[in-house]
Amino acid sequence: MLDIKFVRQNPEIVKEAARKKGVNVDIDQLLALDERRRHILAELEQKRAEQNKKSGEKPSQDEIEGLKKLKEEIKILEEEIKHVQTEFGELMLLAPQVPDPSVPEGKDDSTNQEIRRWGKIPEFGFQPKDYLTLMAELDLVDLERGAKVSGFRGYFLKNEGLLLSMALWNFTLEKLAKKGFTLMGAPAIARGSSFVGTGWLPQGQDEIYRVGDDEYLVGTSEVSVMGYHAGEILRESDLPKRYVAFSPCYRSEAGSHGKDTKGILRVHEFFKVEQVVICRADHEESVAWHEKITQNSEEIVQALGLPYRVVINSTGDLGLGQVKKYDIETWLPSQNRYRETHSSSYFHDFQTRRLNIRYRDAKNQLQFAHSLNNTAIATPRILANIVENCQTEKGRVLVPKVLQKYVGIKEIKRK
């Protein structure tokens, strides 16, 4: 959520941010409601003060009648402010964060810009197989029975397919724990307030599974971890808070009709290890942490030996609250292109304002903290990149060296 003072002072900047992000919100209406809201609140305060003053005196009959009229006027204003506050609050939730000037303008992910590459694209001396063929031949996944049990996009991971996933989680958690991140097993179910607070609701409601009156399944543990400190005042000396959280994740994949309909690239249920950082309200510090958590993920992909590139997301591919976002796209030989496997974003105080996460600065003044998040690893999607890039002519898959101690073997072969 933006600071309404910022919106008042910079309406054209916010309107331009909405245009660039493709957000349909009436900023003029928001400001009109804000003005009406402040006017009613001021009038209410004045009338309540008058009521309190007169109630403390011994009123005459005429004054009693005046108090009754004043009470009715206050009641009318109280009803009016409820409606205005509701409409104002709904519009405030739609006001987008302003993108960083370094973010390229564009309509969607097709206008993202590559900023660097790492690794050599493999050249096979044989006809390589796609991951679906490899994983089926090696008995690593069962999609047919997955769909039978779980429905469309259902899957069973089997044998070394499961071991590889668990190895990736353990390797990533250990690596980030050594960098000072606090390990967390985060709830997969969170209340609506955490989804609103992180910007998933109301805009992303079609992507979210509802499981109770006010409970939903998270699409990323960012939702749970940010909710962890909701309503708290933190000590500046305890910042930055650095968490690496593991959880199952769920997304309905609404709007993805016809995209990756078969396989493990786009599924309803998956698992993520997520980096979440809460730091001081300082732009340069946010930028520095954005680069650090992105580097952490790059180091993980490099350790796996997978070629990748980093792109900066254009304005049309940013979420409502994101100031700037990077995607890591990892090479998938069968598609002869890079596919997104990681995302890294910072939000300034957009999420913390909604969640009321603050700290006291050196002057003992309350400040809203800044927040960032990043995909450290997500499975099963990354398995596709691993098995395709690490396949051999004999139809085997070499286990990345950093995962071998977890999996217990150096290569996966037919039983």
Side-chain angles (χ1 to χ4, degrees), residues 279-292:
C279 67
R280 293 185 308 114
D282 179 85
H283 173 70
E284 291 184 0
E285 186 167 340
S286 275
V287 170
W289 273 111
H290 190 217
E291 298 299 327
K292 286 178 184 177

Side-chain angles (χ1 to χ4, degrees), residues 2 60 109 126 139 148 242 252 287 292 353 356 372:
L2 296 182
S60 64
D109 60 0
F126 58 92
D139 200 21
K148 179 177 72 173
R242 294 172 289 170
S252 70
V287 170
K292 286 178 184 177
R353 205 171 269 281
N356 198 26
L372 308 92

Side-chain angles (χ1 to χ4, degrees), residues 16 64 74 183 248 292 411:
E16 183 68 356
I64 289 173
I74 289 173
L183 295 171
K292 286 178 184 177
E411 67 174 9

Side-chain angles (χ1 to χ4, degrees), residues 32-50:
L33 284 167
D34 174 51
E35 186 175 350
R36 179 61 182 154
R37 178 181 67 99
R38 287 188 290 159
H39 175 77
I40 296 171
L41 288 173
E43 192 174 355
L44 258 176
E45 184 179 357
Q46 181 265 322
K47 288 185 180 296
R48 283 169 177 164
E50 184 181 348

Side-chain angles (χ1 to χ4, degrees), residues 41 103 117 121 150 168 199 261 266 284 303 321 347 412:
L41 288 173
V103 174
R117 292 188 181 192
I121 292 175
S150 188
L168 287 161
T261 56
R266 196 184 298 270
E284 291 184 0
F347 297 79
I412 303 169

Side-chain angles (χ1 to χ4, degrees), residues 1 42 50 130 138 143 147 184 202-203 228 230 247 262 286 298 303 316 354 382 387 398:
M1 183 180 293
E50 184 181 348
D130 63 80
L138 296 172
L143 299 174
M184 273 190 167
Q203 289 82 2
Y228 184 74
S247 76
K262 187 177 182 181
S286 275
E298 287 189 63
R354 291 178 173 218
I382 195 74
V387 298
L398 301 177

Side-chain angles (χ1 to χ4, degrees), residues 10 72 80 121 136 172 211 217 260 269 282 321 342 355 382 402:
N10 304 280
E72 285 299 315
E80 186 177 359
I121 292 175
T172 303
V211 294
L217 295 176
D260 299 310
E269 181 179 27
D282 179 85
H342 301 69
L355 290 164
I382 195 74
V402 294

